[in-house]
Amino acid sequence: MSRRTSFKEQMFRALNSLNCYGQSKYKAKQESYRNGNKGKVKGIYSKKTMSDYKKVAEQFQSWSKNKGYNFKSLADVSDSHIIQYLKERQDTGKSAWTISRDLSALNKIFSREISKKGTGLKSRKNSDIKNNRGFGNNYRPSIYKKNKELTDFLSATGIRRQSITVVSPADAIRDGQGVVIGFSVVEKGGKPRNCYVIKSKQNDITSFVDKHQSKSGNKPFWSKADKNLNTHWYRSEYAKALYSDLVSAQSNKQDYFNGYRDFFVNSSRLELTTKRHNQTVKGYDVECLGVVSQCLGHNRIDVVYSNYMSRF
């Protein structure tokens, strides 16, 4: 007699069936919009998201056992069970963002479309974000003084923390005069992208790269990243500086990228990203926001103005 598949394994299999690693979530969302599904996609495109959702599954299983539900199959779980679980999580102080993550995971696992509306679950607010925003309680001037070369690099390039111990002189993109104008990186979700160096900082970055390369070849610039260093702060500084430069260049009818725009901006993707918005949103120029979004490794304009332009 074959062994009954455990409830946990059933949840994991449901998630694994949605594995879309290596496929474009962006294209899937665009197809969803064209089909009138408001950008909703069924698949899971990131290994980190898959890992996070499996942790949610384990937490849900532990909760259900403590409640004595003893679920045998996915069909045993009702919408009311899911809402009860999430309300109890909310009551223990979990943020609205965590609850939204959990709800998304459980909707995937049990093939539901439960929304927060009418359930008593709190909606997410950007003002509630605390993780990696601002300098925080661990701020000490000595941390940033000790890491000045790195913080200068972060504010000039906008790279994520995961790139710090990987990026090297070999990743530098140079113009015809040998000036470093960008870097090739592979970041969130394994997506390759080219990040543009803020124009006013290109000469300093070039000197830094050349000095490091003459001394250490193509080894990464840094072997580790200070855990107390808030990289998101510097990504925000980068976003604001790049946006300001782009608006200025636009008003003066100049090509900010000096002929290298196609290295850093996907024009067709930019058009798709911006066409759903008015020319300005929250007082920001939409096309410039779209360019900043791509240079940060995002494809959503709302993420830029909510989490980078107005939170610091």
Side-chain angles (χ1 to χ4, degrees):
M1 182 180 293
S2 61
R3 180 179 64 88
R4 178 191 292 271
T5 305
S6 70
F7 181 62
K8 175 182 172 180
E9 182 61 27
Q10 290 178 55
M11 289 193 288
F12 277 18
R13 288 184 180 182
L15 289 171
N16 288 335
S17 71
L18 301 175
N19 184 333
C20 291
Y21 299 166
Q23 299 179 42
S24 171
K25 184 178 181 181
Y26 176 82
K27 290 181 179 179
K29 288 177 75 69
Q30 293 304 315
E31 183 66 24
S32 175
Y33 279 116
R34 285 192 289 270
N35 293 334
N37 293 323
K38 300 180 180 180
K40 295 180 180 179
V41 294
K42 292 183 178 180
I44 297 174
Y45 296 80
S46 161
K47 291 182 180 179
K48 185 179 185 307
T49 299
M50 180 69 81
S51 175
D52 289 345
Y53 283 7
K54 286 184 176 180
K55 289 177 184 176
V56 173
E58 291 175 333
Q59 291 164 353
F60 183 78
Q61 180 199 33
S62 177
W63 171 84
S64 68
K65 281 187 175 181
N66 289 336
K67 288 292 181 181
Y69 287 132
N70 195 28
F71 297 130
K72 298 297 183 183
S73 72
L74 303 186
D76 293 339
V77 179
S78 67
D79 288 5
S80 61
H81 288 131
I82 294 172
I83 294 170
Q84 179 190 1
Y85 169 71
L86 295 173
K87 281 185 175 180
E88 291 187 16
R89 293 268 286 169
Q90 180 174 272
D91 291 343
T92 63
K94 298 299 182 184
S95 73
W97 292 81
T98 297
I99 300 302
S100 291
R101 187 275 315 276
D102 291 356
L103 176 57
S104 177
L106 296 171
N107 274 334
K108 297 280 190 187
I109 293 168
F110 300 108
S111 299
R112 309 294 167 81
E113 293 187 0
I114 303 170
S115 69
K116 287 186 173 182
K117 189 175 182 180
T119 64
L121 297 171
K122 296 177 182 178
S123 298
R124 299 180 300 179
K125 295 180 180 178
N126 286 320
S127 58
D128 294 333
I129 302 176
K130 303 235 177 1
N131 182 43
N132 204 25
R133 302 298 190 266
F135 284 112
N137 295 329
N138 292 327
Y139 169 71
R140 296 193 306 276
S142 60
I143 294 173
Y144 297 89
K145 184 177 180 180
K146 181 177 68 175
N147 292 284
K148 188 177 186 307
E149 277 192 339
L150 174 55
T151 58
D152 286 347
F153 190 89
L154 292 172
S155 61
T157 63
I159 63 169
R160 291 183 169 94
R161 174 178 286 273
Q162 69 190 95
S163 290
I164 292 174
T165 57
V166 179
V167 67
S168 75
D171 301 313
I173 300 170
R174 298 177 185 261
D175 66 11
Q177 286 70 50
V179 175
V180 176
I181 61 173
F183 289 88
S184 296
V185 294
V186 178
E187 294 186 332
K188 198 172 183 180
K191 300 173 186 175
R193 71 181 179 91
N194 294 335
C195 60
Y196 189 72
V197 176
I198 298 295
K199 187 172 290 186
S200 62
K201 300 183 179 183
Q202 289 177 358
N203 287 333
D204 288 341
I205 292 298
T206 301
S207 296
F208 168 76
V209 172
D210 289 345
K211 180 180 178 180
H212 179 89
Q213 194 167 34
S214 65
K215 182 179 179 180
S216 304
N218 283 325
K219 291 182 179 179
F221 299 121
W222 295 277
S223 60
K224 63 180 180 178
D226 192 322
K227 65 180 181 180
N228 295 309
L229 191 66
N230 188 346
T231 56
H232 193 89
W233 175 276
Y234 294 97
R235 275 170 60 78
S236 176
E237 292 299 294
Y238 170 83
K240 292 174 183 176
L242 180 59
Y243 176 82
S244 178
D245 285 356
L246 289 168
V247 169
S248 177
Q250 185 182 73
S251 65
N252 293 317
K253 298 182 179 179
Q254 298 173 340
D255 174 15
Y256 180 68
F257 296 94
N258 291 335
Y260 291 91
R261 181 184 174 92
D262 290 344
F263 279 80
F264 304 96
V265 181
N266 183 316
S267 296
S268 60
R269 179 170 291 181
L270 178 64
E271 182 180 356
L272 288 170
T273 303
T274 58
K275 72 178 183 179
R276 297 192 301 274
H277 300 272
N278 295 324
Q279 189 171 356
T280 59
V281 58
K282 303 287 185 179
Y284 296 107
D285 181 272
V286 166
E287 182 167 338
C288 291
L289 281 180
V291 173
V292 173
S293 178
Q294 287 195 24
C295 288
L296 285 167
H298 288 294
N299 284 308
R300 289 173 53 195
I301 286 174
D302 60 312
V303 169
V304 177
Y305 68 70
S306 296
N307 294 340
Y308 292 89
M309 303 297 292
S310 60
R311 283 194 54 79
F312 299 97

Short mmCIF file of all heavy atoms in Angstrom, two decimals, residues 2-4 6 55 70 88 90 105-106 119 128 132 135 157 203 210 213 223 237 239 243 256 262 267 276 305:
data_model
loop_
_atom_site.label_atom_id
_atom_site.label_comp_id
_atom_site.label_asym_id
_atom_site.label_seq_id
_atom_site.Cartn_x
_atom_site.Cartn_y
_atom_site.Cartn_z
N SER A 2 0.62 2.15 -0.90
CA SER A 2 1.44 3.35 -1.01
C SER A 2 1.17 4.29 0.16
O SER A 2 0.07 4.33 0.72
CB SER A 2 1.14 4.08 -2.33
OG SER A 2 -0.21 4.50 -2.38
N ARG A 3 2.20 5.04 0.53
CA ARG A 3 2.10 5.97 1.65
C ARG A 3 1.25 7.17 1.26
O ARG A 3 1.36 7.71 0.18
CB ARG A 3 3.51 6.43 2.04
CG ARG A 3 3.55 7.41 3.20
CD ARG A 3 4.99 7.78 3.53
NE ARG A 3 5.62 8.49 2.43
CZ ARG A 3 5.55 9.82 2.27
NH1 ARG A 3 4.86 10.56 3.11
NH2 ARG A 3 6.18 10.39 1.25
N ARG A 4 0.37 7.58 2.16
CA ARG A 4 -0.44 8.77 1.92
C ARG A 4 0.46 10.00 1.89
O ARG A 4 1.34 10.16 2.73
CB ARG A 4 -1.49 8.93 3.02
CG ARG A 4 -2.37 10.19 2.86
CD ARG A 4 -3.18 10.43 4.11
NE ARG A 4 -4.19 9.41 4.29
CZ ARG A 4 -5.42 9.50 3.77
NH1 ARG A 4 -5.76 10.55 3.04
NH2 ARG A 4 -6.29 8.53 3.98
N SER A 6 1.63 13.47 2.70
CA SER A 6 1.35 14.33 3.84
C SER A 6 0.76 15.66 3.39
O SER A 6 0.93 16.09 2.24
CB SER A 6 2.63 14.59 4.64
OG SER A 6 3.51 15.41 3.90
N LYS A 55 7.89 28.49 3.48
CA LYS A 55 7.93 28.77 4.91
C LYS A 55 6.53 29.10 5.42
O LYS A 55 6.16 28.71 6.53
CB LYS A 55 8.89 29.93 5.18
CG LYS A 55 10.35 29.59 4.99
CD LYS A 55 11.25 30.80 5.20
CE LYS A 55 12.70 30.44 4.91
NZ LYS A 55 13.57 31.65 5.03
N ASN A 70 -6.13 18.94 11.79
CA ASN A 70 -5.69 17.67 11.20
C ASN A 70 -6.12 17.52 9.74
O ASN A 70 -6.74 16.52 9.34
CB ASN A 70 -6.24 16.50 12.02
CG ASN A 70 -5.52 15.19 11.70
OD1 ASN A 70 -4.36 15.20 11.30
ND2 ASN A 70 -6.22 14.08 11.85
N GLU A 88 -5.35 35.77 13.15
CA GLU A 88 -4.57 35.47 14.35
C GLU A 88 -3.13 35.95 14.20
O GLU A 88 -2.52 36.42 15.17
CB GLU A 88 -4.63 33.97 14.65
CG GLU A 88 -6.01 33.51 15.11
CD GLU A 88 -6.04 32.07 15.58
OE1 GLU A 88 -4.96 31.50 15.84
OE2 GLU A 88 -7.15 31.51 15.69
N GLN A 90 -2.25 38.52 12.41
CA GLN A 90 -2.37 39.97 12.53
C GLN A 90 -2.48 40.39 13.99
O GLN A 90 -1.86 41.37 14.42
CB GLN A 90 -3.60 40.44 11.75
CG GLN A 90 -3.84 41.94 11.78
CD GLN A 90 -4.98 42.34 10.87
OE1 GLN A 90 -4.77 42.61 9.69
NE2 GLN A 90 -6.19 42.40 11.41
N ALA A 105 0.70 33.66 -0.63
CA ALA A 105 1.19 32.28 -0.63
C ALA A 105 0.04 31.28 -0.49
O ALA A 105 -0.02 30.28 -1.22
CB ALA A 105 2.19 32.09 0.52
N LEU A 106 -0.87 31.55 0.43
CA LEU A 106 -1.97 30.62 0.66
C LEU A 106 -2.95 30.59 -0.50
O LEU A 106 -3.52 29.54 -0.82
CB LEU A 106 -2.69 30.99 1.97
CG LEU A 106 -1.82 30.85 3.23
CD1 LEU A 106 -2.52 31.43 4.44
CD2 LEU A 106 -1.46 29.38 3.47
N THR A 119 -12.65 41.25 5.08
CA THR A 119 -12.20 40.18 5.97
C THR A 119 -11.73 40.69 7.33
O THR A 119 -11.50 39.91 8.24
CB THR A 119 -11.04 39.39 5.33
OG1 THR A 119 -9.91 40.27 5.17
CG2 THR A 119 -11.44 38.81 4.00
N ASP A 128 4.18 52.15 6.74
CA ASP A 128 4.44 51.10 7.72
C ASP A 128 5.74 50.35 7.48
O ASP A 128 6.15 49.55 8.31
CB ASP A 128 3.29 50.08 7.73
CG ASP A 128 1.99 50.69 8.22
OD1 ASP A 128 2.06 51.65 9.01
OD2 ASP A 128 0.92 50.20 7.82
N ASN A 132 14.99 47.99 6.53
CA ASN A 132 15.98 48.55 5.63
C ASN A 132 15.58 49.91 5.07
O ASN A 132 15.87 50.24 3.93
CB ASN A 132 16.25 47.59 4.46
CG ASN A 132 17.62 47.81 3.86
OD1 ASN A 132 18.52 48.32 4.51
ND2 ASN A 132 17.76 47.44 2.59
N PHE A 135 18.15 55.24 8.37
CA PHE A 135 19.34 54.76 9.06
C PHE A 135 18.99 53.82 10.20
O PHE A 135 19.75 52.95 10.55
CB PHE A 135 20.16 55.94 9.58
CG PHE A 135 20.93 56.63 8.50
CD1 PHE A 135 20.60 57.91 8.11
CD2 PHE A 135 21.97 55.99 7.86
CE1 PHE A 135 21.32 58.55 7.12
CE2 PHE A 135 22.69 56.62 6.86
CZ PHE A 135 22.36 57.91 6.49
N THR A 157 25.82 54.07 -8.23
CA THR A 157 25.38 52.98 -9.12
C THR A 157 23.99 52.42 -8.82
O THR A 157 23.36 51.84 -9.69
CB THR A 157 26.37 51.80 -9.06
OG1 THR A 157 26.38 51.27 -7.72
CG2 THR A 157 27.79 52.25 -9.42
N ASN A 203 33.69 60.03 -13.33
CA ASN A 203 35.15 60.15 -13.28
C ASN A 203 35.70 59.56 -11.98
O ASN A 203 36.73 58.87 -11.98
CB ASN A 203 35.57 61.61 -13.42
CG ASN A 203 35.39 62.13 -14.84
OD1 ASN A 203 35.44 61.36 -15.80
ND2 ASN A 203 35.18 63.42 -14.99
N ASP A 210 39.93 51.79 -11.81
CA ASP A 210 41.29 51.66 -12.36
C ASP A 210 42.31 51.37 -11.25
O ASP A 210 43.20 50.53 -11.42
CB ASP A 210 41.68 52.93 -13.10
CG ASP A 210 40.92 53.11 -14.41
OD1 ASP A 210 40.30 52.13 -14.87
OD2 ASP A 210 40.93 54.23 -14.96
N GLN A 213 41.82 47.79 -10.08
CA GLN A 213 42.24 46.82 -11.09
C GLN A 213 43.75 46.73 -11.18
O GLN A 213 44.31 45.62 -11.35
CB GLN A 213 41.65 47.20 -12.45
CG GLN A 213 41.75 46.11 -13.49
CD GLN A 213 40.89 46.39 -14.69
OE1 GLN A 213 40.71 47.54 -15.09
NE2 GLN A 213 40.32 45.34 -15.27
N SER A 223 35.00 42.13 -0.24
CA SER A 223 34.85 40.72 0.12
C SER A 223 33.65 40.49 1.02
O SER A 223 33.16 39.36 1.14
CB SER A 223 36.12 40.22 0.83
OG SER A 223 36.37 40.97 2.00
N GLU A 237 19.13 57.48 -2.63
CA GLU A 237 19.90 58.66 -3.04
C GLU A 237 20.22 58.59 -4.54
O GLU A 237 20.17 59.60 -5.25
CB GLU A 237 21.20 58.72 -2.22
CG GLU A 237 20.99 59.02 -0.75
CD GLU A 237 20.33 60.36 -0.53
OE1 GLU A 237 20.94 61.39 -0.83
OE2 GLU A 237 19.16 60.37 -0.06
N ALA A 239 18.43 57.01 -6.84
CA ALA A 239 17.19 57.23 -7.59
C ALA A 239 16.86 58.70 -7.69
O ALA A 239 16.48 59.21 -8.76
CB ALA A 239 16.04 56.47 -6.91
N TYR A 243 16.89 60.74 -11.21
CA TYR A 243 15.64 61.37 -11.64
C TYR A 243 15.86 62.86 -11.91
O TYR A 243 15.42 63.39 -12.94
CB TYR A 243 14.55 61.19 -10.58
CG TYR A 243 13.27 61.92 -10.93
CD1 TYR A 243 12.35 61.35 -11.81
CD2 TYR A 243 12.99 63.18 -10.41
CE1 TYR A 243 11.19 62.02 -12.16
CE2 TYR A 243 11.84 63.86 -10.76
CZ TYR A 243 10.94 63.28 -11.63
OH TYR A 243 9.79 63.95 -11.99
N TYR A 256 20.81 62.25 -21.98
CA TYR A 256 21.56 62.08 -20.74
C TYR A 256 22.57 60.94 -20.85
O TYR A 256 23.63 60.97 -20.20
CB TYR A 256 20.60 61.82 -19.58
CG TYR A 256 21.27 61.64 -18.24
CD1 TYR A 256 21.92 62.71 -17.62
CD2 TYR A 256 21.28 60.41 -17.60
CE1 TYR A 256 22.54 62.56 -16.40
CE2 TYR A 256 21.91 60.24 -16.37
CZ TYR A 256 22.54 61.32 -15.77
OH TYR A 256 23.16 61.17 -14.56
N ASP A 262 20.55 52.74 -25.07
CA ASP A 262 20.09 51.37 -25.31
C ASP A 262 20.82 50.33 -24.45
O ASP A 262 20.34 49.21 -24.29
CB ASP A 262 20.24 51.00 -26.79
CG ASP A 262 19.25 51.74 -27.68
OD1 ASP A 262 18.28 52.29 -27.12
OD2 ASP A 262 19.43 51.77 -28.90
N SER A 267 13.55 50.35 -24.39
CA SER A 267 12.53 51.31 -24.80
C SER A 267 11.14 50.69 -24.92
O SER A 267 10.14 51.31 -24.53
CB SER A 267 12.91 51.95 -26.14
OG SER A 267 14.10 52.71 -26.00
N ARG A 276 0.28 53.01 -18.98
CA ARG A 276 -0.88 52.88 -18.09
C ARG A 276 -1.03 54.07 -17.15
O ARG A 276 -1.94 54.12 -16.33
CB ARG A 276 -0.76 51.59 -17.26
CG ARG A 276 -0.77 50.33 -18.07
CD ARG A 276 -0.96 49.11 -17.17
NE ARG A 276 0.08 48.98 -16.17
CZ ARG A 276 1.23 48.37 -16.36
NH1 ARG A 276 1.51 47.86 -17.56
NH2 ARG A 276 2.12 48.27 -15.39
N TYR A 305 8.34 55.80 -6.90
CA TYR A 305 7.94 57.03 -6.21
C TYR A 305 7.51 56.77 -4.77
O TYR A 305 7.59 57.66 -3.92
CB TYR A 305 6.87 57.81 -6.98
CG TYR A 305 5.49 57.19 -7.10
CD1 TYR A 305 4.64 57.07 -6.02
CD2 TYR A 305 5.01 56.77 -8.35
CE1 TYR A 305 3.37 56.54 -6.14
CE2 TYR A 305 3.74 56.23 -8.49
CZ TYR A 305 2.93 56.12 -7.38
OH TYR A 305 1.67 55.59 -7.51
#
